[in-house]
Amino acid sequence: MPKLPRFAGVNRAVDIFKGLGKEFAIVRNPTYIHPPFELYPLAPKIKQPREKIIGIVQDMDGTITTTEALCLHSLEYMVRKITGREDKTRWSGLDKVNDYPYIIGNSTTRHVEYLINKYGKDIRIENFKKFYLTAALWTLALGKDRGRKREVKNNITNLK
């Protein structure tokens, strides 16, 4: 791939995009995010069977495995803990119509941004601190992912 500029005008951006593929997925962002949507180039379609498969790679975004229920549970659990909405009779949880479109289909960062913006007025700062530190300690003590542990250590070091 040729060296890319840091910034590009619309014509150069179009030329760069044209080189990325022939089909693109369009993913809408929540209304408070700019741009209102993002374009992701799709890999070319495989039209002929492969002669030999030497390996299969899978990711955890639900393409091959279904992790959506676990992700939704985790996001709702986070909101319950930091807002004190733990009683399911008082708050039924994330709304399938109003919340799910913003927490399914893009990055976890965007999911959390949406939830913090939507439920932020109800966050109890003491709950937030307690459960942030609980999650950080759990990751450091029991987590298996070295990269995640490094991120947590870095976050705690820079926490002000």
Side-chain angles (χ1 to χ4, degrees):
M1 174 169 251
K3 183 170 166 90
L4 294 173
R6 242 182 119 182
F7 300 97
V10 69
N11 292 334
R12 180 70 175 119
V14 168
D15 289 341
I16 292 168
F17 242 75
K18 283 182 180 177
L20 295 177
K22 296 185 184 221
E23 286 187 291
F24 298 83
I26 301 170
V27 178
R28 292 186 189 280
N29 284 323
T31 55
Y32 56 85
I33 300 270
H34 178 78
F37 62 89
E38 294 180 40
L39 299 169
Y40 296 93
L42 301 176
K45 292 180 181 171
I46 298 171
K47 296 183 179 183
Q48 299 295 322
R50 299 285 189 197
E51 288 183 28
K52 180 179 177 185
I53 296 176
I54 58 172
I56 296 174
V57 177
Q58 63 186 39
D59 57 16
M60 298 302 287
D61 71 354
T63 306
I64 296 172
T65 62
T66 302
T67 58
E68 187 175 281
L70 177 60
C71 292
L72 292 169
H73 169 76
S74 296
L75 291 166
E76 183 175 307
Y77 183 80
M78 176 198 71
V79 172
R80 286 187 184 285
K81 289 296 187 182
I82 64 177
T83 63
R85 295 176 173 201
E86 295 187 57
D87 183 350
K88 291 184 180 184
T89 62
R90 298 182 77 198
W91 184 60
S92 60
L94 298 175
D95 186 275
K96 290 181 180 180
V97 173
N98 295 310
D99 293 325
Y100 281 20
Y102 299 104
I103 58 173
I104 295 174
N106 54 28
S107 75
T108 302
T109 300
R110 294 266 167 85
H111 301 161
V112 173
E113 285 173 351
Y114 165 80
L115 293 171
I116 295 296
N117 281 321
K118 178 159 184 191
Y119 297 102
K121 67 183 181 342
D122 298 323
I123 292 174
R124 297 177 184 171
I125 195 66
E126 290 307 313
N127 286 21
F128 191 96
K129 289 177 186 178
K130 176 183 175 183
F131 292 109
Y132 176 84
L133 291 173
T134 299
L137 289 171
W138 184 95
T139 300
L140 295 174
L142 301 171
K144 305 292 185 212
D145 185 330
R146 287 187 185 134
R148 180 70 65 207
K149 284 184 174 190
R150 229 179 0 263
E151 290 171 358
V152 168
K153 285 178 186 175
N154 185 52
N155 289 346
I156 290 173
T157 301
N158 293 298
L159 188 64
K160 294 181 182 179

